[in-house]
Every structure is written in C-alpha cells, then in structure tokens.
C-alpha cells in the first residue's frame, strides 16, 4: 500500500510521523499551521482531557492531542485501510488508544461516552457536518462545557450549531474555514 506521512508538531511526540494511505481520496490531514492554531486555542484545555477524533483519517488531530497531554483519545475512521494504519501508528507511538473502524454517525448513536473535546473534520462536500453536530447534541456525547473543533470547506457557508452552542473562535486558511465552538453558553 502506498503511504504518505504527516508530522506531529508539538508535545512529547513532536517530530514523529504518522503514515496514512496515499490512495484514499477523501483523506486530507489538517495542515500543520492550522493544527498549530487549533492547539494554541486548546492550550489550557487539552491536558487531561478526553477527546474524540471523529473522521480521524490519518489521526493527526487526535495524536497531536495525545502528544500534548490529553488523557485519552478515541479515534473513529470508516475507511478500513486508514483505520488499520492508524492503529499501527498508535502502537508504534506507545498509545493504547482505541480505533473504531465504523461510520462516525453510527458510532455516535451506538457507543456510550462523553468527551471534553471533539474534533470534526468530515470529508468535504458530503453534507455530513450538520447531521453529526445534531447527533452529538441529541445523544449527549459532550461533557459540560465541551469544546468542538469544526473544519470545513469555505464554500459551505454558515454552519448552524445546535441550540445552546456558540462559536468562540474561527479562522480561514485558503479554502478551509475552521472553528472552535462550545456547548455551554455560560463560557
């Protein structure tokens, strides 16, 4: 299998590389400069947090979280090759994180758990974002005052958040728009 690599940019595993299948068209790891901004936003929240990396792909967001002190990360990836390679990468790094090889929507409906930080970077132009936001909310998968990272294609326009959620950060880079939201209006 032909692979590509993405580098972890901070924390204990800084400089270590993750391999991912080069042949999976939907897979596009979050660029380093965007990950740097995201983890600057999360600097005071990441240590000891429970994270969920939905649409994990290469696992770059979740591995970065583990590298920077998250207590646990649950990875969800529907592509079998990507999930298998992600498991191998995590084992090589010494992580016992669980990788679920299943559809993100099915995971949210069926697997119990509550997370402090959720990474959402679904395949572009497939209309998954609104549905997964609603499912996370309706199935109670978010801890109180959870942080939700959303990455989407810029042309998507406004992303409507569930009731009681608000945006707290947003930025644009090229054709990507990314946001940090919370499910607690008191923050």
């Amino acid at each position: 299998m032909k692979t590509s690599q993405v580098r972890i940019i901070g924390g204990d595993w800084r400089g270590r590389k993750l391999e991912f299948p080069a042949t999976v068209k939907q897979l596009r790891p979050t660029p380093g400069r965007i990950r740097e901004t995201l983890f600057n936003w999360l600097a005071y929240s990441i240590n000891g947090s429970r994270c969920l990396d939905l649409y994990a792909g290469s696992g770059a967001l979740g591995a970065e979280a583990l590298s920077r002190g998250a207590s646990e990360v649950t990875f969800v990836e529907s592509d079998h090759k990507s999930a298998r390679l992600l498991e191998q990468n995590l084992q090589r790094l010494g992580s016992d994180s669980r990788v679920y090889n299943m559809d993100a929507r099915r995971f949210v409906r069926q697997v119990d758990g509550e997370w402090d930080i959720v990474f959402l970077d679904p395949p572009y132009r497939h209309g998954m974002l609104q549905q997964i936001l609603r499912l996370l909310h309706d199935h109670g998968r978010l801890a109180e005052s959870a942080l939700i990272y959303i990455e989407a294609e810029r042309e998507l326009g406004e992303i409507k958040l569930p009731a009681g959620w608000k945006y707290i950060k947003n930025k644009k880079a090229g054709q990507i728009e990314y946001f940090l939201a919370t499910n607690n209006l008191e923050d």
Side-chain angles (χ1 to χ4, degrees):
M1 165 178 31
K2 186 175 181 189
T3 62
S4 293
Q5 295 181 335
V6 62
R7 186 181 309 272
I8 297 172
I9 57 174
D12 294 341
W13 298 334
R14 181 183 180 156
R16 303 280 301 267
K17 294 178 182 173
L18 303 172
E19 290 188 29
F20 62 92
T23 55
V24 178
K25 289 195 307 190
Q26 300 294 340
L27 208 147
R28 34 159 197 77
T30 300
R33 68 183 188 280
I34 293 176
R35 279 185 283 133
E36 189 67 45
T37 299
L38 167 62
F39 285 95
N40 284 339
W41 290 348
L42 297 175
Y44 299 106
S45 306
I46 198 72
N47 200 40
S49 64
R50 295 162 304 168
C51 302
L52 176 61
D53 191 351
L54 284 172
Y55 310 99
S58 68
L61 294 174
E64 197 77 52
L66 286 168
S67 180
R68 293 171 185 248
S71 65
E72 69 181 62
V73 177
T74 302
F75 295 85
V76 181
E77 175 51 48
S78 63
D79 179 72
H80 181 69
K81 289 178 187 173
S82 298
R84 190 174 62 226
L85 202 48
L86 178 54
E87 285 176 333
Q88 292 169 5
N89 285 325
L90 291 167
Q91 287 172 357
R92 202 175 62 250
L93 291 169
S95 171
D96 61 357
S97 294
R98 178 99 189 259
V99 177
Y100 288 83
N101 183 202
M102 64 193 299
D103 179 78
R105 295 163 293 192
R106 195 172 109 226
F107 174 87
V108 171
R109 287 186 194 106
Q110 295 179 357
V111 178
D112 286 335
E114 226 180 52
W115 289 272
D116 304 308
I117 299 172
V118 177
F119 301 108
L120 293 177
D121 182 11
Y124 292 172
R125 298 170 190 85
H126 283 79
M128 298 177 184
L129 204 46
Q130 292 296 160
Q131 184 181 23
I132 200 69
L133 288 169
R134 190 176 66 250
L135 287 170
L136 285 165
H137 179 78
D138 292 350
H139 288 272
R141 300 297 179 232
L142 302 170
E144 186 176 328
S145 300
L147 295 169
I148 305 95
Y149 170 73
I150 302 166
E151 185 176 315
E153 63 275 26
R154 211 167 171 177
E155 75 259 14
L156 189 60
E158 182 182 352
I159 300 166
K160 190 172 189 282
L161 296 176
W165 291 28
K166 71 174 182 175
Y167 288 114
I168 53 177
K169 301 271 187 184
N170 75 297
K171 206 159 182 179
K172 297 174 185 177
Q175 297 304 308
I176 299 170
E177 192 157 11
Y178 53 108
F179 311 87
L180 195 60
T182 184
N183 64 332
N184 184 352
L185 286 175
E186 302 303 313
D187 280 1

